[in-house]
Amino acid sequence: MAATLSSLSFLDPQIQNLSFQFHQPRSFTTRPFHFNKTPLSTFKLSSSHSHSPDPFYTGRFLTDNEHRNLNFLETFLYSHQLQSGSMWVRVMRPHEIDLTVRLLADSFAESMLLPAAYLNVLRFLVKQYLVERRTLMPHMATLVGFYKEEEEEVQLAGTVEVCFDKRGANVSLPSPTPPLDSPYICNMAVLKSLRRRGIGWHLLKASEELISQMSSSRDVYLHCRMIDAAPFNMYTKADYKIVKTDSILVLLMLQRRKHLMCKKLPLSSTPSETDLSVSDM
């Protein structure tokens, strides 16, 4: 599947407008950027928190309720045994930002058919975005999914962003715009070599499970581009319904048309054991 950022909440105005700025590369090259070229699959991932004395430090004052929610995010864990291996999902730690940036930026570049020359720029913008968004926890969270086959090393398999309320909402949401005070799922990406194993499905289920614990609202929204048939099939099987579709006029702005989709979560949400044949992501 080519388009891995199936929810398509573009990360910020800089990335939204990236396609319009290709003829002005100087605005992006004030200094060179260097990135490790080692394949993602070769990285060893650690669950240790020793990289930071406080891996969920937000840099701002928290209310008692925010502090409780932040503690819950730190302990949240979704796990599932797939036919091909084991998968678990939790909130991204600071030492995992660079790996998440590479996965997200590479998937985003693939879905937008960006030239390879702009990949480093995109990674830079994505890292800025992830670092800034982390300061909004516990009103949002970036989830990372790990995958392990027998006798193989653990791999960072996917990522997804979840917003729980208005304070965690992205200010640059794409059209059609969802309600800012409702939970929102976006920026889902799956490592290319691990697609079609059900990883995208379980990133979605983990997001819903977390939302059911963190938000009083049961209406969950996401975007899906009209050209992304596989993600759309996955969302419809997960009971998401089309609420609104972009006007054809967005094509004049060199943007893809998108569906805004919504699902009402049950009062008590648990990880789904059904329809594990959904393996498009």
Side-chain angles (χ1 to χ4, degrees), residues 114-241:
L114 293 179
Y118 290 91
L119 183 56
N120 284 353
V121 174
L122 186 56
R123 289 176 179 172
F124 172 71
L125 296 176
V126 171
K127 184 168 184 176
Q128 280 189 319
Y129 172 86
L130 288 182
V131 171
E132 291 173 1
R133 293 289 289 165
R134 285 192 81 254
T135 65
L136 297 179
M137 290 196 301
H139 302 280
M140 62 76 61
T142 299
L143 302 183
V144 285
F146 301 98
Y147 176 80
K148 186 181 187 309
E149 292 183 283
E150 291 185 6
E151 301 180 358
E152 297 290 337
E153 293 184 350
V154 177
Q155 298 184 65
L156 177 65
T159 182
V160 63
E161 180 179 311
V162 186
C163 307
F164 306 116
D165 54 36
K166 188 173 183 179
R167 291 188 61 180
N170 196 318
V171 296
S172 57
L173 287 174
S175 62
T177 307
L180 294 181
D181 56 350
S182 294
Y184 178 68
I185 299 173
C186 63
N187 297 331
M188 183 187 294
V190 175
L191 188 64
K192 187 174 183 178
S193 62
L194 294 178
R195 293 175 194 166
R196 301 190 179 278
R197 303 192 188 199
I199 290 174
W201 175 263
H202 288 289
L203 286 171
L204 184 63
K205 295 291 105 178
S207 301
E208 293 175 354
E209 181 178 332
L210 184 56
I211 287 171
S212 70
Q213 300 294 325
M214 295 290 294
S215 175
S216 59
S217 174
R218 291 294 178 258
D219 292 328
V220 181
Y221 290 84
L222 54 80
H223 282 99
C224 183
R225 299 191 307 181
M226 293 181 65
I227 64 169
D228 292 336
F232 180 77
N233 180 57
M234 181 178 73
Y235 295 142
T236 54
K237 287 187 176 181
D239 296 328
Y240 285 85
K241 310 295 184 185

